[in-house]
Amino acid sequence: MNKQMVACFLCIAALLAPRGASAATTIGEGFATRVAPDGDNLLPSNHVTRARAGDDVHYWVQWREPPGARSLLHCEVKDAAGTVLVDESESARNALPQGYTMCGYDTDVRGFEAGTYNFAISLDGEVVSERKIAIESNSLFGQMTMKKQVKYAIGGLAVLFLAVYWVRKKLAGDHEGAAEVFAPAGQVRARRDPVVIGARIQAEAAAHAGGSFERKPQPVESPDRLAVFKKSLAVDPAFRPTRAEDVLPIAKEARAAGDAHTAIAALRGFDKAHPGHELIPDVYFFSARLMAEDLENSAMARKVLEHLVRKYPGHYLALEAKRYLTSLPP
């Protein structure tokens, strides 16, 4: 076979090769335990080399050139024994230039065991990127968020300070002062405030005289939860409502005001902040609708709904999620 024929065969092979797969290139990879929506894309919010039980572990690759629209992306996660835990494929039509592809595993499942886990992302049957990560077991204190850990540490120091102060009062013979250390603030003020004491004497005198003093109820203005949340969010981007029952109302008010990103910020991390709460399925379903209808991110909405169906198969919203999934683009 002469050189001209070899060159001809090489030209034909190059023309027949799938262009989408060959053109796709990556510029980075890594692990994250938090992700955030950015328009139609999904971005890692942090970069980690180790994770703990209870984390959502996301293995990501960033594309310089996106895969072809007809390409197929595959995510596979295995434990140390080689057991396949995640085996999912999806079309690459949603991959964007400078976009990310995520391969995720939720460690908040029954029977999870600490160890080394292998994550792999493939494109059209060929492994694009593969890496392992150690996922450690959690202590009771380690299961708390950093914000809660700081709060508990400050609370412990405050109790220790009050205990030392109480002992000093006792040793000095100030028994009344020692009794006030752990007494409710209202009782201490009542003891010391002559106006309050005088009011009590006056009320008792009126009662003996057969009269009564009526206090007209003062109107209480309910605070604007959304405004308060947005101000707190501006100061601390990681701020979340303390009460689980306030999360959905704030998110719905934000959505009604046309502020979908604030609604997402209110909902983010609800299942980790309030594990086992009865409102978790409602938060998942509302988040999915918000993604699909307001942010036009059907891919993320589909993942949330599939997670809802998988984790809460007996919940009434699981049926609603299945119906909603049929309305999303394939």
Side-chain angles (χ1 to χ4, degrees), residues 11-282:
C11 291
I12 294 172
L15 290 172
L16 295 177
R19 296 184 179 180
S22 61
T25 57
T26 62
I27 58 176
E29 62 179 22
F31 285 98
T33 54
R34 297 194 304 270
V35 295
D38 182 19
D40 291 334
N41 214 345
L42 198 63
L43 307 179
S45 297
N46 63 343
H47 297 272
V48 300
T49 56
R50 304 178 74 85
R52 290 186 176 276
D55 289 338
D56 287 333
V57 183
H58 304 271
Y59 181 50
W60 55 266
V61 296
Q62 185 180 12
W63 301 95
R64 182 188 301 277
E65 296 293 339
R70 296 182 181 179
S71 296
L72 190 68
L73 288 164
H74 181 72
C75 164
E76 184 179 77
V77 182
K78 296 180 180 179
D79 61 14
T83 304
V84 177
L85 305 173
V86 177
D87 186 8
E88 297 178 350
S89 298
E90 64 177 346
S91 171
R93 66 183 177 277
N94 293 324
L96 302 174
Q98 302 297 332
Y100 291 80
T101 293
M102 298 284 181
C103 181
Y105 176 56
D106 183 4
T107 65
D108 187 17
V109 293
R110 183 177 300 175
F112 172 80
E113 295 182 0
T116 301
Y117 288 73
N118 188 78
F119 288 70
I121 295 176
S122 303
L123 176 63
D124 294 328
E126 182 179 350
V127 176
V128 175
S129 188
E130 184 174 14
R131 186 178 290 187
K132 299 183 183 215
I133 186 172
I135 305 178
E136 304 168 348
S137 58
N138 241 334
S139 63
L140 178 61
F141 190 70
Q143 291 176 355
M144 302 178 188
T145 62
M146 182 61 69
K147 194 171 183 180
K148 285 187 177 179
Q149 291 179 18
V150 172
K151 285 183 178 180
Y152 277 104
I154 293 174
L157 289 174
V159 171
L160 179 61
F161 174 79
L162 288 174
V164 172
Y165 186 62
W166 179 84
V167 171
R168 291 185 63 183
K169 288 276 188 183
K170 277 287 189 181
L171 293 175
D174 185 3
H175 299 290
E176 184 178 353
E180 291 180 352
V181 171
F182 293 102
Q187 292 182 9
V188 176
R189 286 196 301 269
R191 291 196 196 108
R192 296 181 178 178
D193 191 349
V195 175
V196 174
I197 296 172
R200 286 184 176 178
I201 295 172
Q202 186 179 17
E204 290 176 2
H208 285 298
S212 63
F213 289 88
E214 294 183 0
R215 291 188 62 188
K216 294 183 179 180
Q218 299 296 321
V220 179
E221 296 181 2
S222 59
D224 187 340
R225 287 174 299 195
L226 179 59
V228 171
F229 175 71
K230 292 179 73 172
K231 288 179 181 178
S232 302
L233 200 63
V235 176
D236 179 11
F239 177 81
R240 297 293 176 270
T242 304
R243 284 169 26 95
E245 294 74 13
D246 292 336
V247 171
L248 273 173
I250 290 174
K252 290 178 180 179
E253 289 177 21
R255 187 190 186 195
D259 192 349
H261 291 287
T262 298
I264 287 291
L267 298 167
R268 189 176 299 135
F270 180 89
D271 51 350
K272 294 297 183 294
H274 308 283
H277 199 281
E278 60 181 7
L279 287 175
I280 290 178
D282 298 80

